[in-house]
Amino acid sequence: MSNPSMNRSSNALTPVGGASAALTLRDPWALVPSLGNLDAYISAVNRLPLLTQEEEGALARRLRADGDLRAAGQLVLSHLRLVVSISRQYLGYGLPQGDLIQEGNVGLMKAVKRFDPDQGVRLVSYAMHWIKAEIHEYILKNWRMVKVATTKAQRKLFFNLRSMKQSLKSDAVDADTHRATLTQREVDDVASTLNVKREDVLEMETRLSGGDVALEPQDDGGEESYAPIAYLADSRHEPTQVLESQHRDWLAGDGISRALEVLDARSRRIVEERWLKVNDDNSGGKTLHELAADYGVSAERIRQIEAAAMKKMRKALAEVAAA
């Protein structure tokens, strides 16, 4: 005796649902819009027909035995509304619901691939774990640039601590109900409930309470804009900075020595006395008038000799750099 909820005329299994079911048979994804807004998608998946337990089991067996992708498509389609429902539980993390649904659909497809109908469990119960696992992974990767949860205990805290804090605060009767941090007793309660260490609770509380800071300026304030990118970068090892530093060191050492070699004795002594020596009172080198008195000439003559010497030194340094 044939099952009235099944149609085998085309050697395929068709869920009950009238025109929607027939359309699903011909093209399992026809009812799900490829473009449009999120509301249109949610409305479409809510119109998709559900499967009975017998239909679900038959489709799953066809998938496992023959690798029938049409059967897999019907199993996925009939549970898309489950993904939408689960995604609503994670809207508080500030991530787009469309992205949450997309990741949940990946988990649903993984569940369909591994589902064994002979275990006596409905796909809706089996798929919930896979859907949540994919959404959890997506949230942990995208909630912040820096990961806030890596170990199993940290993941458990990440997805439970905020809701538990709200519950603890709502139960509080003292005047300090709106405090932001947990008390020692509340930390102990959370650790005991989730079976984690007190230190893990405190660490996750600190991570969740800290905000993100943009590396780049977020406004057009011009010179007033100041972001971490301005002071976090270490330019000491930047290649151009390294080369410039090496060049300055060379100029201060070997470069000056080579440049002085092209000068005559008087010009060299004038440059050294003016720029390379320091007086006992740390007031710098000799003045033009002091050197003029030493050489018995005018200060203007000393300035001319100094200018000519500097010109020769710059030319010598340029030739070395070009070599």
Side-chain angles (χ1 to χ4, degrees):
M1 182 175 179
S2 62
N3 189 331
S5 65
M6 315 289 263
N7 181 355
R8 301 180 184 276
S9 60
S10 61
N11 195 28
L13 188 62
T14 307
V16 175
S20 296
L23 182 59
T24 303
L25 174 62
R26 293 193 301 271
D27 183 1
W29 303 100
L31 291 179
V32 182
S34 58
L35 297 174
N37 58 34
L38 182 61
D39 292 337
Y41 172 86
I42 295 175
S43 176
V45 299
N46 285 333
R47 295 197 306 269
L48 292 172
L50 297 174
L51 299 173
T52 65
Q53 186 170 1
E54 292 77 14
E55 292 169 345
E56 181 181 286
L59 287 168
R61 292 184 184 91
R62 277 172 45 191
L63 174 61
R64 289 175 65 85
D66 306 324
D68 191 335
L69 295 182
R70 179 172 293 180
Q74 292 188 6
L75 289 170
V76 171
L77 283 170
S78 65
H79 290 80
L80 289 179
R81 68 182 70 192
L82 173 64
V83 178
V84 173
S85 176
I86 293 176
S87 71
R88 293 194 181 101
Q89 303 173 19
Y90 299 93
L91 296 180
Y93 294 96
L95 297 172
Q97 186 181 10
D99 292 348
L100 297 174
I101 292 174
Q102 179 173 286
E103 297 300 320
N105 286 344
V106 173
L108 173 60
M109 288 185 281
K110 289 181 178 181
V112 168
K113 181 179 180 181
R114 294 167 173 80
F115 178 59
D116 183 359
D118 298 324
Q119 295 295 323
V121 179
R122 292 298 301 271
L123 178 57
V124 64
S125 300
Y126 181 76
M128 288 181 66
H129 164 78
W130 291 93
I131 295 170
K132 289 183 177 181
E134 289 296 324
I135 293 178
H136 286 185
E137 190 68 24
Y138 170 75
I139 292 174
L140 290 173
K141 287 182 178 179
N142 294 276
W143 191 59
R144 286 185 180 170
M145 182 179 293
V146 178
K147 291 185 177 180
V148 295
T150 54
T151 66
K152 184 177 180 180
Q154 289 174 345
R155 288 169 178 255
K156 184 188 296 185
L157 281 166
F158 179 82
F159 288 106
N160 290 279
L161 185 55
R162 290 200 302 178
S163 59
M164 292 190 67
K165 282 179 63 177
Q166 293 174 358
S167 176
L168 289 170
K169 299 305 183 226
S170 63
D171 293 339
V173 294
D174 56 26
D176 196 20
T177 302
H178 299 290
R179 61 187 181 277
T181 58
L182 294 171
T183 65
Q184 293 298 322
R185 181 183 62 81
E186 290 169 343
V187 171
D188 292 334
D189 290 343
V190 172
S192 176
T193 302
L194 298 180
N195 193 26
V196 296
K197 298 178 181 179
R198 291 184 72 260
E199 293 77 10
D200 291 335
V201 177
L202 293 172
E203 181 180 357
M204 184 55 64
E205 169 74 0
T206 302
R207 293 186 182 188
L208 292 178
S209 61
D212 292 332
V213 178
L215 288 177
E216 299 285 355
Q218 298 301 299
D219 53 39
D220 297 326
E223 295 182 357
E224 299 297 326
S225 299
Y226 192 65
I229 195 66
Y231 56 82
L232 287 181
D234 184 359
S235 61
R236 291 175 299 175
H237 303 291
E238 200 273 326
T240 58
Q241 295 289 340
V242 171
L243 291 176
E244 290 179 3
S245 176
Q246 292 175 347
H247 185 62
R248 286 194 300 270
D249 293 342
W250 179 82
L251 286 176
D254 295 342
I256 294 297
S257 298
R258 290 191 183 186
L260 290 173
E261 291 175 357
V262 302
L263 302 178
D264 58 79
R266 183 178 63 172
S267 298
R268 177 168 182 167
R269 179 173 178 271
I270 290 175
V271 170
E272 289 177 341
E273 292 289 347
R274 282 275 287 154
W275 302 105
L276 301 180
K277 291 185 178 181
V278 179
N279 294 330
D280 295 336
D281 58 357
N282 293 323
S283 60
K286 290 185 177 182
T287 66
L288 293 175
H289 292 283
E290 290 174 338
L291 289 172
D294 291 343
Y295 285 97
V297 296
S298 65
E300 174 60 21
R301 178 56 183 157
I302 297 296
R303 188 196 65 76
Q304 292 174 354
I305 296 173
E306 177 189 28
M310 290 294 186
K311 185 176 180 179
K312 289 182 180 179
M313 292 176 65
R314 283 194 292 269
K315 181 180 179 180
L317 289 174
E319 291 175 352
V320 173

